[in-house]
Amino acid sequence: MQLWLKFGAIFRPFQLLSGVIFSLLALIIWISMLLTTIDKAKNSFCKQRCGYILGHINVFNPINWVFVQSAKIFPVDYVIFTLLVLFLFSSSIVGISAVGIRFLWIRIFQIRKGHTSPQALLLATAMLMLIILALNYSTSMILAPQYATYGPQTFCDRELSFSEKQPDCSRDKHLIRPCSEVADSLAAKQVCTPSVVSTFLNRVTMNFPFFGAIFFWAQFAFLGRILYLSDMI
């Protein structure tokens, strides 16, 4: 026991440092989600008619920028994305274990070491499954929409000459554009390929705009709840 306490005292500064780093990461994630949500509310080309689908990123998103830039060096973006998802999922597990299973403000079950009931474990497992489903939507549509849709794909926004089969921007770097849904260039339609996940989510959102609007406004409620809890802490 004394040896364990000594190890704890030795690694205490590292625990404090990791706590500060994780807090900053959580703040950056919160800011990125807020910026994308504001961008959707302001610049969505169809608003509530299609569930606030965003055709082009208009507001700088730090998380999205990191993913797009790191995607140019394989497999750095995969490593960062895996660590981010693990961070969000681990935070969810810690939150459930700390708060317990509740209905509104009423505590139903507690998650305690060696004293957790089977019903609590079953409900916690169901909640984690729903959290994974929410992470699939949030990371693709809110946290890093450009990366989840097109990644680092770009196209040359220049008209073809008679002797060219495809546009060449080797001398015109300023004409290289990131791929987006609203790009109407012929080169963009030939080169840009959206991911399967983004295509599936966008089609579901467009076919069922009511649910897309619910998911969109739920992001504001989620961000406000996080801000409220941080003030309480």
Side-chain angles (χ1 to χ4, degrees), residues 5-145:
L5 293 176
K6 290 181 179 179
F7 274 110
I10 293 174
F11 289 101
R12 183 63 177 174
F14 297 99
Q15 292 179 351
L16 295 176
L17 180 61
S18 62
V20 172
I21 293 175
F22 288 148
S23 298
L24 292 176
L25 177 59
L27 178 61
I28 294 174
I29 292 173
W30 188 89
I31 293 174
S32 299
M33 295 180 68
L34 178 63
L35 292 175
T36 302
T37 308
I38 293 175
D39 194 8
K40 281 176 171 285
K42 183 179 180 181
N43 300 310
S44 176
F45 58 89
C46 53
K47 303 297 182 180
Q48 69 275 5
R49 296 190 303 273
C50 64
Y52 294 92
I53 291 179
L54 188 63
H56 178 68
I57 302 297
N58 299 278
V59 179
F60 176 75
N61 184 333
I63 296 293
N64 184 79
W65 181 84
V66 169
F67 278 125
V68 172
Q69 297 301 320
S70 61
K72 300 176 182 178
I73 307 175
F74 179 83
V76 177
D77 58 326
Y78 289 174
V79 175
I80 297 176
F81 189 83
T82 302
L83 294 176
L84 179 63
V85 173
L86 287 176
F87 171 73
L88 295 174
F89 187 72
S90 301
S91 301
S92 302
I93 295 176
V94 173
I96 292 176
S97 62
V99 176
I101 309 298
R102 297 190 180 191
F103 178 74
L104 298 179
W105 65 90
I106 303 173
R107 175 173 290 180
I108 302 176
F109 297 108
Q110 287 184 338
I111 307 296
R112 296 179 299 174
K113 182 178 180 181
H115 296 84
T116 305
S117 63
Q119 295 84 353
L121 290 176
L122 183 61
L123 288 175
T125 303
M127 292 176 63
L128 290 175
M129 293 173 62
L130 295 175
I131 287 172
I132 293 175
L133 181 62
L135 285 177
N136 289 331
Y137 175 81
S138 297
T139 52
S140 302
M141 298 289 102
I142 303 296
L143 197 55

